[in-house]
């Protein structure tokens, strides 16, 4: 990686004891600051070529989403930050990803617009007027152009202009330097409530708090918001619930993410022989999928789980530094995040040699039967919690049949029992979309207790996990973990398995592996 400070042939300045530690990043090189240098580097450039921008396909949908949010907060000023760059190491940043609420309401994805803030300003006649406050492209006669390693064109490329942002998003764009005055207008005595999506940008949250304090009251619009948590939580909740039912554009993005993920699973299978030959076979699987995700999408939607053998009994195994052994299985839980930031989340548990053993097949089939039972109840009008309940009935019945439960299946399924959960401690489903665990801030009565509606997208992912040191199960079960996960769209007629193209039945998985390794 290129050094983050321009290098010159001058000698390093000597450090004094009083030198600010925060400034010592510049010790390793010296930024040129002569008038001659500045005059030379800011001149002699051809006119900038116009960026190739066109309106986002999502723009009509994002406008409808903003209207829905507007209707929930009449008269309030709503602040939705994209987020700031985050330091990874010393003076290098992580690749930027905007907050999901910001991306959902603007259509901007990938690594676009750090520090940007979407504000919905209340309109006098009702509703809101949306403005995007962004850091636009700096002129070439500014120091930012050549010297700012975070934002400068010389370092990170040309940023869009305000007109470019407006063209792309359909939202009026203004310079982020105007944000403070815009947020403060009419707050307090003017009757405007100021709400911010918390957890996205600490700097913007601090600005909102300062404006509230300057308004001279710890109550806004008659609601006690000391510390601001109460009303801000309402906005956080609302932007999360806004994604519970996906619109047509979102569903299309989900289909693309799922299709790209299925292709990535095929790439992994083709590389299974390479994985078994490597001392870190799990890393072979991880990097194969992650490279595919970066080539065909934006990146992975979450850290890939590539768990060979007993590692599959660790639910979120992401160290991925183990071997992949003949005769065992590998659990691959992975998803491609496409450019719009929508992600798939699919799991298959694959026999390394291409054929399940008798014990592996028995456990795998039980998990598949639980998944099928969950699919059967994932229809409009059912409650989200019914999906898990249906899967658990099968899991408990199978564990009873195998003689593993210390009580009957019925007793285990009771709230006072739950012994079957020893071997599946996680839930069966979660909403899916821009976040792998989407809509997580939604109210319980709309999520866990919510009624299923067409347009909802979630996972179905039962599993069974028998730890290698679990003395309550037969030795042949120990060290085996199985999970089968699919991405499901609720439709008016029932549901659609978006990931159905990836084989699920044991015999179909075996045939699929054979076809890819021929």
């Amino acid at each position: 990686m290129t050094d983050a400070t321009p290098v010159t042939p001058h000698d390093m300045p000597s450090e004094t004891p009083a030198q600010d530690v925060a400034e010592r990043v510049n010790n390793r090189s010296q930024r040129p600051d002569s008038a001659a240098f500045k005059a030379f580097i800011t001149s002699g450039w051809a006119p900038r070529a116009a960026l190739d921008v066109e309106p986002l396909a999502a723009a009509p949908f994002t406008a409808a989403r903003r209207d829905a949010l507007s209707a929930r907060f009449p008269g309030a000023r709503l602040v939705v930050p994209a987020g700031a760059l985050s330091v990874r190491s010393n003076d290098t940043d992580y690749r930027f990803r905007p907050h999901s609420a910001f991306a959902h309401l603007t259509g901007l994805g990938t690594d676009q617009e750090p520090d940007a803030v979407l504000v919905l300003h209340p309109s006098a006649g009702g509703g809101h007027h949306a403005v995007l406050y962004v850091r636009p492209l700096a002129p070439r006669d500014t120091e930012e152009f050549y010297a700012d390693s975070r934002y400068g064109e010389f370092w990170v490329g040309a940023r869009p202009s305000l007109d470019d942002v407006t063209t792309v998003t359909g939202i009026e764009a203004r310079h982020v330097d105007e944000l403070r005055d815009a947020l403060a207008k009419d707050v307090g005595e003017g009757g405007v409530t100021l709400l911010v999506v918390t957890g996205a940008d600490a700097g913007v949250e601090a600005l909102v708090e300062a404006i509230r304090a300057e308004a001279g009251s710890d109550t806004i619009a008659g609601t006690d918001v000391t510390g601001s948590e109460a009303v801000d939580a309402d906005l956080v909740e609302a932007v999360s619930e806004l994604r519970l039912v996906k619109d047509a554009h979102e569903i299309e993005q989900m289909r693309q993410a799922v299709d790209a993920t299925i292709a990535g699973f095929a790439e992994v299978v083709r590389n299974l022989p390479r994985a078994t030959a490597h001392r870190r076979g799990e890393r072979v699987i991880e990097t194969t999928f992650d490279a595919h995700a970066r080539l065909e999408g934006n990146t992975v939607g979450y850290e890939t789980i590539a768990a060979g053998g007993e590692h599959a009994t660790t639910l979120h195994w992401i160290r991925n530094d183990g071997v992949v052994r003949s005769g065992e299985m590998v659990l691959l839980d992975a998803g491609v995040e496409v450019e719009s930031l929508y992600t798939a989340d699919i799991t298959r548990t694959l026999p390394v040699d291409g054929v399940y053993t008798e014990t592996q097949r028995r456990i795998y089939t039980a998990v598949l039967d639980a998944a099928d039972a969950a699919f059967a109840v994932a229809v409009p009008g059912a409650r989200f919690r019914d999906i898990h309940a249906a899967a658990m009935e099968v899991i408990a019945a199978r564990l009873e049949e195998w003689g593993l439960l210390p009580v009957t299946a019925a007793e285990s399924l009771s709230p006072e029992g739950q012994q079957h959960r020893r071997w599946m401690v996680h839930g069966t489903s979660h909403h899916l979309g821009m976040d792998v665990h989407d809509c997580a801030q939604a109210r319980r009565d709309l999520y866990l207790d919510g009624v299923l509606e067409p347009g909802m997208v979630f996972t179905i992912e039962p599993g069974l996990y028998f730890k290698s040191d679990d003395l309550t199960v037969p030795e042949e079960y120990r060290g085996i973990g199985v999970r089968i996960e699919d991405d499901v769209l609720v439709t008016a007629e029932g549901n659609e398995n978006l990931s159905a193209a990836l084989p699920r039945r044991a015999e179909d998985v075996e045939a699929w592996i054979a076809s890819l390794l021929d």
Side-chain angles (χ1 to χ4, degrees):
M1 173 177 283
T2 306
D3 193 5
T5 306
V7 178
T8 73
H10 297 296
D11 293 334
M12 298 282 285
S14 61
E15 182 177 321
T16 64
Q19 185 178 9
D20 187 344
V21 172
E23 295 178 354
R24 292 179 190 173
V25 66
N26 294 320
N27 283 354
R28 67 186 185 282
S29 57
Q30 185 174 11
R31 178 174 296 145
D33 59 3
S34 70
F37 168 78
K38 292 178 181 179
F40 190 52
I41 198 169
T42 56
S43 63
W45 303 102
R48 283 192 179 99
L51 295 180
D52 184 16
V53 296
E54 58 184 30
L56 291 167
F61 297 93
T62 58
R65 297 167 197 166
R66 294 192 298 274
D67 287 345
L69 187 64
S70 170
R72 288 187 61 166
F73 297 94
R77 178 169 290 126
L78 311 179
V79 184
V80 186
L85 291 164
S86 178
V87 175
R88 181 184 187 277
S89 175
N90 193 25
D91 63 345
T92 60
D93 294 317
Y94 284 100
R95 183 180 291 116
F96 179 72
R97 183 198 191 277
H99 189 278
S100 293
F102 176 89
H104 187 241
L105 293 166
T106 65
L108 294 173
T110 59
D111 58 353
Q112 298 171 56
E113 300 315 314
D115 305 319
V117 182
L118 171 68
V119 181
L120 301 188
H121 293 288
S123 300
H128 288 78
H129 173 63
V131 178
L132 259 176
Y133 295 89
V134 300
R135 183 188 302 274
L137 181 65
R140 284 173 167 168
D141 62 355
T142 63
E143 188 169 324
E144 178 182 304
F145 164 62
Y146 65 87
D148 192 323
S149 61
R150 260 197 166 182
Y151 302 111
E153 182 180 350
F154 231 81
W155 297 88
V156 298
R159 303 172 66 87
S161 68
L162 295 178
D163 287 342
D164 290 335
V165 173
T166 297
T167 297
V168 168
T169 64
I171 305 171
E172 179 187 355
R174 301 189 68 86
H175 200 293
V176 73
D177 288 350
E178 301 177 26
L179 179 64
R180 194 190 201 289
D181 288 343
L183 294 186
K185 184 179 179 182
D186 296 328
V187 172
E189 292 184 2
V192 172
T193 306
L194 189 59
L195 307 181
V196 61
V197 172
T198 56
D201 189 321
V204 174
E205 289 181 47
L207 174 60
V208 168
E209 290 292 348
I211 292 170
R212 287 171 175 163
E214 290 169 8
S217 174
D218 59 4
T219 61
I220 297 177
T223 302
D224 183 5
V225 292
T226 304
S228 80
E229 290 86 0
V231 291
D232 289 342
D234 291 342
L235 181 57
V236 171
E237 183 180 87
V239 295
S240 189
E241 292 171 358
L242 199 59
R243 303 199 301 271
L244 281 168
V245 177
K246 269 59 178 178
D247 58 38
H249 181 264
E250 293 179 282
I251 292 170
E252 176 56 31
Q253 296 304 301
M254 292 300 305
R255 292 187 188 279
Q256 291 181 21
V258 168
D259 289 348
T261 299
I262 291 172
F265 272 65
E267 283 299 308
V268 166
V269 169
R270 294 186 185 99
N271 281 272
L272 279 176
R274 189 163 66 94
T276 58
H278 198 282
R279 74 185 190 284
R280 285 184 164 183
E282 293 175 344
R283 290 274 170 95
V284 172
I285 292 172
E286 174 194 332
T287 55
T288 297
F289 186 87
D290 289 10
H292 171 84
R294 191 69 176 139
L295 289 170
E296 302 302 325
N298 180 44
T299 184
V300 290
Y302 53 96
E303 294 296 327
T304 296
I305 298 170
E310 202 269 341
H311 288 165
T313 68
T314 300
L315 301 180
H316 285 173
W317 175 261
I318 59 172
R319 190 178 304 159
N320 300 338
D321 60 355
V323 297
V324 175
R325 296 185 180 88
S326 175
E328 294 185 340
M329 295 184 293
V330 61
L331 187 155
L332 175 60
D333 185 334
V336 172
E337 177 187 271
V338 293
E339 303 292 330
S340 59
L341 305 184
Y342 289 86
T343 185
D345 180 8
I346 300 174
T347 306
R348 291 293 185 268
T349 308
L350 309 172
V352 173
D353 295 332
V355 179
Y356 295 100
T357 67
E358 180 181 351
T359 301
Q360 291 169 354
R361 186 183 301 270
R362 182 185 312 130
I363 297 169
Y364 185 95
T365 300
V367 174
L368 180 63
D369 290 346
D372 288 344
F375 267 94
V377 301
V379 298
R383 294 198 177 274
F384 188 79
R385 61 168 58 255
D386 296 341
I387 300 168
H388 178 72
M392 289 304 94
E393 287 186 8
V394 174
I395 292 293
R398 206 57 55 89
L399 291 168
E400 179 185 43
E401 176 186 322
W402 296 340
L404 303 185
L405 286 178
V407 296
T408 67
E411 290 172 311
S412 184
L413 287 166
S414 70
E416 299 76 21
Q418 300 295 301
Q419 290 88 343
H420 61 286
R421 298 298 297 278
R422 175 187 178 101
W423 300 287
M424 184 184 155
V425 298
H426 62 80
T428 303
S429 297
H430 59 79
H431 278 268
L432 181 66
M434 241 171 214
D435 294 336
V436 66
H437 296 150
D438 212 23
C439 315
Q441 285 75 41
R443 286 167 287 179
R444 181 184 181 94
D445 61 329
L446 295 181
Y447 196 130
L448 185 59
D449 296 328
V451 176
L452 301 186
E453 300 178 42
M456 288 183 169
V457 178
F458 47 77
T459 65
I460 289 180
E461 51 175 314
L464 280 170
Y465 313 91
F466 300 104
K467 295 282 188 181
S468 58
D469 56 355
D470 187 348
L471 302 181
T472 69
V473 301
E475 187 173 356
E476 62 181 313
Y477 285 34
R478 297 174 195 168
I480 294 178
V482 173
R483 181 163 65 251
I484 303 169
E485 180 179 20
D486 287 286
D487 300 343
V488 185
L489 168 67
V490 178
T491 66
E493 296 76 27
N495 63 59
E496 177 187 351
N497 183 355
L498 297 177
S499 46
L502 195 60
R504 300 171 71 247
R505 296 191 308 162
E507 56 268 35
D508 294 336
V509 172
E510 291 170 339
W512 174 66
I513 292 174
S515 70
L516 292 171
L517 292 178
D518 278 349

